[in-house]
Amino acid sequence: KNLAKVRYKQFSQILNNIGENEGGIDKFSRGYESFGVHRCADGGLYCKEWAPGAEGVFLTGDFNGWNPFSYPYKKLDYGKWKLYIPPKQNKSVLVPHGSKLKVVITSKSGEILYRISPWAKYVVREGANVNYDWLHWDPEHSYEFKHSRPKKPRSLRIYESHVGISSHEGKVASYKHFTCNVLPRIKDLGYNCIQLMAIMEHAYYASFGYQITSFFAASSRYGTPEELKELVDTAHSMGIIVLLDVVHSHASKNSADGLNMFDGTDSCYFHSGPRGTHDLWDSRLFAYSSWEVLRFLLSNLRWWLEEYRFDGFRFDGVTSMLYHHHGMGQGFSGDYSEYFGLQVDEDALTYLMLANHLVHTLYPDSITIAEDVSGMPALCSPISQGGGGFDYRLAMAIPDKWIQLLKEFKDEDWNMGDIVYTLTNRRYLEKCIAYAESHDQALVGDKTVAFWLMDAEMYTNMSVLSPFTPVIDRGIQLHKMIRLITHGLGGEGYLNFMGNEFGHPEWLDFPRKGNNESYHYARRQFHLTDDDLLRYKFLNNFDRDMNRLEERCGWLSAPQAYVSEKHEGNKIIAFERAGLLFIFNFHPSKSYTDYRVGTALPGKFKIVLDSDAAEYGGHQRLDHSTDFFSEAFEHNGRPYSLLVYIPSRVALILQNVDLPN
C-alpha cells in the first residue's frame, strides 16, 4: 500500500509539472501539431524538432533542390529548433504533397547527417532502396470518417490481426484487402474487437512490426494513411472496435530511417550507454524520465486515437519496460519482493500511468491492455489507487500451459486441477484477456495448437472424403475443448490470432534471407474454411457459435466461475458462470451415462452448445431435444444437481430455460 502511494505521488508530481510548464497534459500531448513539418494557413511552412546534441539543424528536399544548408533552423531553449519558411509570392504550395524531405543535422563532431523527422507521418521504401524515404503527407482530400466509435463492449472478444499476411497470396496484403475481405469474416465470427499488429512503420517486415522506425507513420507497405482510416471506420460501422498494438517499449536501431542517433548522439530519445540498448532485441531503449521523450510518446498515443480513431491500445513489451533486467533470465514466482525494489524502472511505470491517464481522460471508453508476463500487482488497478491504470492484462500463462500439456503429457495424464488452476489464477479485480494461443505461438520455431495436435496429417486427412483418423478426430475435438474452456474460465476477455480459430495449418514465417525471401508462410489461407470438402469449416463454425453464445449470455463480463468439479480419474471439469453450466470430459475414451453434476439453479436445462454436434465435426452422440431437470440433491457443494450423459472428449454448455433470458 505504501509503495502504491509512492507510485501515485511520483505520477501526480509529473502531472503537476506538466500542468505548470506546459499548460496541462491536453496541450502537452499535442506535440504533433507543432513538431515536424506543417503547412501554415498563409501557405508558409512551420517546422520544429528536438535535437539537443546537434550543432545545427536544416531542412532540405525536392522543394529546394536538396541544398542541405539553405534553410537553417533557429536554436531555442531545451534542445529545440524551429524554422519558418514564408509563402511563395504566387501563394503556390512550398512543399507539395508527396515530395521528399530530410532533416539535415550537423553534429558536434562535424558530421553531416541526413535524417527523417521523428514526427514524419508517411515514409515509403522505393524500388530496391535499402532505406525508407520521408514523403510530405498533405493530401488535398483527407479521409472523412462517416461512423461514430462503437460503445465500449461489456465483453471483449479480440481478433488479433496483421494486415500484411491477411491474404492467401504470396505477397503483402493491403489495408483495402483487409477492409473488404477480412472485416466481414471477423464480424461473422462474432468478434467485437480487432487488435492490429505491425501498423506503426517498421523498416524490417520480418520483425512482425516490433522494430519501429517511424512512430507517427502508418506502414506504407499496406497502402496510404487514408486507407487505414477507412479500415477503422468500416470496422466501426460493423460495431467492431479497433486497438493498436503500440510499441513504446523499444525502438529500431536504424539511424538512416529510424530514431536512433537522430541528433548525432547515442542519447536524444534514448538512454546513452548500455542502459539504452536491449541485448536480446538489439534495439534502443527510451529514457522515460526525459521531458521531451514523454511529450513524444504521449503525443504518439494521442495521434493514433485522434487521427486514425483507434479505440485504445495493446501495449507491447510491458515487462521489459517495468524492470531494469527487462525480464531476461527471470522467473516470476509471484513474491512481492520481485515487483517492488530497485529492479523496477519507476520512470517507465510512471510513463505507463501517464499514458493510461491520458488515454482514458481523452476517451473514457477506450481500452488499454498490458502485455506483461511478470504479473506486476495493481498494473490493472485504477491510478487513483496507485495502480497502473490498464483495463486488462494478457493471461500469458494459459497458452504456455496448453503447449506444455500437448508437448509433454499423454491425454490420460492431463491434470484437471492444474488446468483449472492455470485458468483461474488471477488477481482479484484485475481483468485478464484469456487466450489459447496468439501470434507468438504461430511463429516459426513454435507450433499452433492445431499443429501440435495433428501435425503431418493436416496435409493428408483434412478432407471430409478421407477417413476420420484417430489423430484428426482427437485434434478436432481437443481444439474446440481447449478454446471453449479458455473462453469460459480463463478471463474477462478472449483473444484469438487470425486463422487459428479454424486450425490454420503450418506456421508463420516472414520473408527473410534464411528462407530465400519467401512469402509462402507469411499468409493466411481463409479459403480453407470456405471449402465444404475440408474439415476446417467445423472448427470455424464452433468458434463462431461460441462467440455468438457469449454475446448473448455475457460470461466474460460475469463474475469468475464457480468450479464444482475437477475429477482426475474421470477427467471431468464442471463450472458455472453467467447462469450457464459448462461441462468438459477430457477423457480420451470414457463416456458417462447419468453423470451427476452440481448446479446452483433449480429447474429445466437445455443444451445450448455441444462440441459433439455434426456441424462442428463431432460424433452427434447427444440428443438436443432432451430436457434435463435439476433436483434438490446437493452435490459438490451445490444445492441442486442433474444427471447428464457426457460422451468422451466433449464440451457442453447447458442453460437453465426456466430463468428469464
Side-chain angles (χ1 to χ4, degrees):
K1 280 228 166 123
N2 286 341
L3 281 156
K5 275 186 188 155
V6 169
R7 286 176 178 176
Y8 182 72
K9 194 175 167 190
Q10 189 172 343
F11 158 79
S12 299
Q13 214 172 334
I14 294 198
L15 198 59
N16 289 338
N17 287 351
I18 290 172
E20 284 166 22
N21 298 300
E22 300 278 350
I25 198 163
D26 182 59
K27 272 192 179 155
F28 189 57
S29 59
R30 295 173 185 268
Y32 52 81
E33 291 180 359
S34 57
F35 285 85
V37 173
H38 301 273
R39 178 166 49 91
C40 307
D42 65 3
L45 213 61
Y46 180 77
C47 316
K48 192 171 170 188
E49 294 298 342
W50 177 61
E55 190 60 43
V57 180
F58 308 84
L59 187 72
T60 187
D62 294 333
F63 79 104
N64 73 341
W66 292 96
N67 179 331
F69 305 126
S70 63
Y71 285 109
Y73 285 64
K74 183 170 167 255
K75 193 172 187 178
L76 308 169
D77 291 342
Y78 307 113
K80 290 181 221 169
W81 302 76
K82 76 168 185 184
L83 163 68
Y84 172 71
I85 307 176
K88 290 187 188 169
Q89 233 90 62
N90 64 1
K91 292 282 188 259
S92 66
V93 181
L94 261 170
V95 178
H97 170 62
S99 68
K100 287 182 192 168
L101 292 170
K102 277 272 170 43
V103 171
V104 178
I105 303 275
T106 52
S107 75
K108 300 262 199 271
S109 59
E111 284 178 289
I112 299 168
L113 308 166
Y114 283 79
R115 295 287 187 251
I116 291 176
S117 168
W119 305 82
K121 298 179 180 74
Y122 187 66
V123 295
V124 73
R125 178 186 283 154
E126 295 186 335
N129 291 358
V130 175
N131 296 322
Y132 273 72
D133 284 310
W134 167 24
L135 267 54
H136 184 54
W137 192 259
D138 187 15
E140 199 180 339
H141 303 292
S142 51
Y143 182 82
E144 284 185 31
F145 287 89
K146 301 169 186 69
H147 306 280
S148 54
R149 299 167 185 264
K151 279 200 170 64
K152 185 182 190 167
R154 60 173 189 163
S155 299
L156 211 52
R157 299 180 302 275
I158 304 171
Y159 199 78
E160 187 186 24
S161 305
H162 183 293
V163 172
I165 63 169
S166 66
S167 105
H168 67 273
E169 296 174 75
K171 63 174 192 185
V172 178
S174 66
Y175 294 126
K176 279 254 187 244
H177 168 85
F178 192 92
T179 303
C180 299
N181 300 288
V182 186
L183 283 182
R185 287 184 188 273
I186 297 171
K187 174 72 178 160
D188 177 65
L189 282 164
Y191 291 93
N192 57 13
C193 174
I194 296 167
Q195 184 177 296
L196 270 189
M197 308 175 65
I199 293 296
M200 300 163 77
E201 190 61 271
H202 46 294
Y204 185 43
Y205 189 44
S207 76
F208 219 147
Y210 290 119
Q211 296 265 347
I212 308 297
T213 40
S214 288
F215 284 74
F216 285 82
S219 181
S220 60
R221 54 169 63 81
Y222 322 123
T224 68
E226 311 315 303
E227 286 161 349
L228 173 57
K229 290 173 193 175
E230 185 185 26
L231 186 163
V232 175
D233 198 24
T234 309
H236 286 168
S237 77
M238 297 174 170
I240 297 170
I241 63 169
V242 190
L243 305 181
L244 177 75
D245 196 343
V246 74
V247 188
H248 281 180
S249 44
H250 64 132
S252 163
K253 263 192 172 167
N254 290 18
S255 53
D257 53 9
L259 228 55
N260 191 21
M261 309 281 294
F262 173 67
D263 65 354
T265 71
D266 81 328
S267 54
C268 201
Y269 288 93
F270 310 108
H271 290 292
S272 64
R275 194 183 164 189
T277 303
H278 195 297
D279 295 336
L280 205 62
W281 297 343
D282 192 34
S283 52
R284 297 301 317 267
L285 297 171
F286 286 106
Y288 299 106
S289 55
S290 156
W291 195 257
E292 291 305 322
V293 170
L294 286 179
R295 184 197 312 275
F296 180 76
L297 295 174
L298 291 170
S299 298
N300 189 232
L301 294 175
R302 184 169 193 153
W303 169 253
W304 293 106
L305 291 172
E306 303 260 359
E307 183 72 10
Y308 291 94
R309 297 219 186 159
F310 279 95
D311 300 287
F313 302 97
R314 175 255 197 200
F315 279 77
D316 171 68
V318 168
T319 310
S320 173
M321 295 172 74
L322 288 174
Y323 307 96
H324 294 301
H325 55 60
H326 307 302
M328 292 190 283
Q330 297 288 319
F332 290 92
S333 65
D335 188 282
Y336 275 72
S337 64
E338 295 164 350
Y339 306 117
F340 301 98
L342 296 176
Q343 71 274 33
V344 176
D345 186 337
E346 298 291 347
D347 294 329
L349 184 55
T350 303
Y351 162 65
L352 290 170
M353 292 167 81
L354 287 164
N356 278 312
H357 170 76
L358 173 72
V359 169
H360 292 112
T361 304
L362 287 175
Y363 297 100
D365 265 5
S366 51
I367 288 170
T368 58
I369 301 171
E371 187 213 18
D372 168 41
V373 74
S374 78
M376 166 68 80
L379 194 60
C380 303
S381 298
I383 293 168
S384 56
Q385 296 168 17
F390 284 97
D391 294 293
Y392 298 88
R393 58 158 29 107
L394 291 174
M396 300 180 78
I398 297 175
D400 293 348
K401 176 54 64 184
W402 292 124
I403 297 295
Q404 182 199 23
L405 288 171
L406 293 170
K407 246 166 115 166
E408 299 171 20
F409 293 89
K410 294 209 287 284
D411 294 7
E412 49 271 28
D413 296 333
W414 283 19
N415 183 310
M416 300 297 108
D418 191 29
I419 291 171
V420 168
Y421 176 77
T422 303
L423 288 169
T424 55
N425 177 29
R426 47 192 189 271
R427 285 201 171 82
Y428 180 60
L429 293 181
E430 291 200 57
K431 293 193 286 195
C432 285
I433 304 288
Y435 58 106
E437 53 186 336
S438 69
H439 71 270
D440 287 321
Q441 285 70 35
L443 282 168
V444 65
D446 208 338
K447 284 189 199 175
T448 62
V449 168
F451 228 56
W452 278 114
L453 286 164
M454 298 177 276
D455 218 326
E457 285 208 23
M458 291 189 85
Y459 295 111
T460 52
N461 296 337
M462 282 306 269
S463 162
V464 294
L465 306 174
S466 65
F468 206 28
T469 63
V471 168
I472 296 293
D473 185 11
R474 170 181 180 260
I476 281 179
Q477 309 322 328
L478 284 178
H479 195 273
K480 294 175 293 189
M481 294 179 73
I482 286 170
R483 279 174 152 60
L484 183 61
I485 198 168
T486 303
H487 207 309
L489 195 57
E492 290 69 36
Y494 177 77
L495 176 141
N496 164 69
F497 177 67
M498 63 186 316
N500 286 353
E501 70 276 7
F502 65 82
H504 197 288
E506 302 178 321
W507 52 89
L508 263 179
D509 192 10
F510 286 83
R512 55 190 171 87
K513 277 194 188 127
N515 65 14
N516 291 324
E517 303 294 335
S518 164
Y519 281 88
H520 183 73
Y521 297 109
R523 58 200 183 109
R524 296 275 95 176
Q525 303 176 58
F526 286 112
H527 60 283
L528 296 174
T529 64
D530 303 334
D531 190 332
D532 243 3
L533 292 176
L534 293 178
R535 294 185 165 122
Y536 296 102
K537 64 178 182 182
F538 298 138
L539 300 178
N540 202 65
N541 291 344
F542 185 77
D543 201 73
R544 179 195 64 214
D545 292 350
M546 169 174 76
N547 281 323
R548 288 181 180 179
L549 185 62
E550 197 290 323
E551 172 66 26
R552 218 166 67 231
C553 304
W555 63 71
L556 289 169
S557 54
Q560 199 161 324
Y562 181 91
V563 182
S564 65
E565 180 159 359
K566 34 189 182 189
H567 196 295
E568 297 305 339
N570 296 341
K571 300 285 172 232
I572 298 275
I573 294 172
F575 61 86
E576 289 167 283
R577 192 174 184 188
L580 299 172
L581 179 54
F582 292 73
I583 305 167
F584 295 82
N585 178 5
F586 279 99
H587 203 288
S589 57
K590 266 194 199 164
S591 299
Y592 306 100
T593 42
D594 289 344
Y595 197 93
R596 189 170 290 281
V597 181
T599 172
L601 302 168
K604 183 165 84 171
F605 287 76
K606 293 286 254 190
I607 294 171
V608 287
L609 189 65
D610 165 20
S611 67
D612 206 37
E615 63 266 36
Y616 312 138
H619 299 283
Q620 309 169 62
R621 289 166 289 180
L622 285 148
D623 179 359
H624 289 200
S625 64
T626 309
D627 294 332
F628 302 90
F629 293 93
S630 70
E631 46 189 336
F633 188 101
E634 205 243 352
H635 185 68
N636 285 343
R638 304 313 262 163
Y640 300 90
S641 59
L642 48 84
L643 297 173
V644 61
Y645 168 48
I646 315 175
S648 58
R649 278 203 191 116
V650 157
L652 293 176
I653 300 181
L654 274 59
Q655 186 172 30
N656 188 307
V657 291
D658 290 344
L659 285 176
N661 214 351

